[in-house]
Amino acid sequence: MTLKSLLVSAAFTVAFAVPGFAGVDDIIKERQTCMKTQAGNVFGMMFPMLKGEKPYDAAMVADGFAKMGAACANWATYWSDEAKGGTIPHRSKDEAWTDRAGLEAASAASYTALQALKATTDEASFKAALPAVGAGCQGCHEKFQAPKL
């Protein structure tokens, strides 16, 4: 094999094989960051307010939603056809790609619950809206997330 053919072969490998996996892995990492940010802000910060373990703090809730918005800005790509597979461990089941209608319905229910919570303006409405968020998360996780690795 000549140096030129070796370089062409290496360039082909880098240009076509690696970006596919790297792109999928990047999407998986971003999806995992989004989920961890949501869990940390909803369950870690907001649920203690619901339970009375922490005082209700509207500014903290708004900050939590800002962090979730930033971490989850590319939500639409997380279960796209380009996001299937990858080389890093993840918990998304194949159903996330084979039952697109089910995933979209579950995601929409979760999103609606989050938006209702985001729109709250006082402690009473916050406490009334938050349980639906947990139910929305569960709706996706039960069908589309595998047990912990």
Side-chain angles (χ1 to χ4, degrees):
M1 181 176 264
T2 67
L3 179 60
K4 183 178 178 181
S5 63
L6 182 62
L7 291 174
V8 169
S9 177
F12 180 86
T13 301
V14 170
F16 295 102
V18 175
F21 281 115
V24 173
D25 287 350
D26 289 344
I27 293 170
I28 293 168
K29 288 176 188 175
E30 187 175 331
R31 181 173 67 219
Q32 290 171 337
T33 298
C34 168
M35 294 299 169
K36 288 175 184 173
T37 301
Q38 282 188 357
N41 282 287
V42 172
F43 296 105
M45 183 264 292
M46 294 183 196
F47 266 66
M49 290 183 208
L50 174 70
K51 296 176 189 176
E53 297 168 357
K54 288 183 181 179
Y56 171 74
D57 183 337
M60 190 178 284
V61 172
D63 183 60
F65 274 104
K67 289 175 182 171
M68 285 188 278
C72 302
N74 294 319
W75 182 271
T77 65
Y78 296 163
W79 292 275
S80 65
D81 289 340
E82 293 78 24
K84 187 175 182 180
T87 62
I88 62 173
H90 61 87
R91 296 175 57 199
S92 298
K93 290 182 177 179
D94 286 341
E95 287 86 343
W97 290 274
T98 60
D99 182 7
R100 184 75 64 190
L103 178 67
E104 288 175 4
S107 292
S110 183
Y111 180 79
T112 298
L114 280 166
Q115 293 307 303
L117 179 64
K118 186 177 180 180
T120 63
T121 57
D122 58 54
E123 184 174 10
S125 61
F126 169 83
K127 286 184 173 185
L130 186 55
V133 173
C137 293
Q138 185 177 11
C140 278
H141 290 191
E142 284 181 346
K143 184 166 185 180
F144 302 106
Q145 183 184 52
K148 288 189 178 191
L149 303 171

